[in-house]
């Protein structure tokens, strides 16, 4: 009888720890994305890319129209990531073309480098210890144009 009670208590403790670690992992994942999980642009991305997990997002007005857009770095396939911009048109959402993105240690920064709109964004990251970065601009709500970069071909 005492053995059964101990076994049940051990099972409950292990089960409780499992639930606790799952909730922490889920919270870390949401915080790591860079936007809230209920961001409507992120939800649109998830709806249009149900088989692609978002890794990191940046939320900024990328086409200089006064509405924030969402840059999404996502897993395209094994060891191949891509990025796309979800554009808020004011009447709905649309997607830019996609381009390559770093595999590991992704980082997004927004800078108005030339002091004219639209704003530029810097994406950096690594792959197998090789680091790279590139400066991009969204052109005509369609193309993610690589303006300048170094080492991106080695980390994407």
């Amino acid at each position: 009888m005492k053995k059964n009670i101990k076994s049940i208590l051990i099972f409950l403790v292990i089960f409780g720890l499992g639930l606790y670690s799952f909730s922490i992992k889920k919270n870390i994942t949401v915080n790591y994305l860079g936007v809230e999980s209920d961001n409507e642009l992120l939800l649109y991305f998830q709806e249009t890319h149900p088989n692609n997990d978002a890794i990191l997002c940046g939320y900024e007005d990328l086409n200089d129209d006064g509405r924030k857009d969402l840059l999404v770095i996502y897993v395209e396939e094994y060891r191949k990531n891509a990025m796309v911009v979800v554009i808020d048109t004011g009447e709905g959402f649309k997607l830019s073309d996609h381009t390559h993105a770093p595999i590991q240690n992704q980082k997004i920064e927004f800078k108005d480098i030339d002091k004219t709109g639209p704003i530029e964004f810097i994406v950096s990251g690594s792959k197998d210890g090789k680091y790279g970065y590139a400066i991009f601009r969204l052109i005509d709500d369609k193309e993610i144009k690589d303006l300048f970069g170094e080492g991106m071909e080695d980390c994407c």
Side-chain angles (χ1 to χ4, degrees):
M1 180 77 169
K2 261 187 164 180
K3 260 188 173 179
N4 286 344
I5 292 175
K6 284 182 181 180
S7 296
I8 291 172
L9 285 175
I10 290 172
F11 172 77
L12 289 174
V13 168
I14 291 172
F15 182 74
L17 289 172
L19 284 176
Y20 177 71
S21 67
F22 174 77
S23 69
I24 287 176
K25 183 178 179 185
K26 185 176 179 185
N27 193 27
I28 289 170
T29 302
V30 169
N31 290 336
Y32 181 71
L33 283 177
V35 293
E36 295 293 326
S37 60
D38 63 349
N39 179 293
E40 57 188 351
L41 297 170
L42 178 60
L43 294 174
Y44 180 80
F45 168 80
Q46 292 169 336
E47 179 184 306
T48 58
H49 292 75
N51 299 322
N52 303 106
D53 291 331
I55 300 170
L56 183 64
C57 300
Y59 193 46
E60 189 60 61
D61 182 4
L62 298 178
N63 57 3
D64 205 28
D65 67 354
R67 291 181 296 277
K68 285 190 172 186
D69 308 299
L70 188 70
L71 174 64
V72 181
I73 298 176
Y74 64 95
V75 177
E76 190 169 47
E77 58 188 59
Y78 177 71
R79 302 223 1 114
K80 184 177 180 189
N81 292 346
M83 63 182 162
V84 67
V85 177
V86 182
I87 302 159
D88 183 350
T89 66
E91 298 174 359
F93 308 118
K94 66 180 182 179
L95 298 171
S96 71
D97 294 337
H98 74 272
T99 190
H100 58 280
I103 301 298
Q104 302 161 319
N105 304 310
Q106 301 87 357
K107 186 175 179 185
I108 299 170
E109 294 181 64
F110 299 102
K111 300 269 186 200
D112 191 3
I113 295 170
D114 61 0
K115 304 296 183 212
T116 63
I119 195 169
E120 292 79 27
F121 49 99
I122 303 164
V123 175
S124 61
S126 66
K127 176 182 177 184
D128 301 329
K130 296 179 181 177
Y131 292 86
Y133 75 94
I135 301 169
F136 296 94
R137 182 182 295 146
L138 182 64
I139 306 293
D140 297 327
D141 285 356
K142 189 79 173 147
E143 178 187 4
I144 298 175
K145 180 146 178 78
D146 184 344
L147 303 175
F148 176 81
E150 188 167 317
M152 281 296 273
E153 62 279 351
D154 294 329
C155 70
C156 300

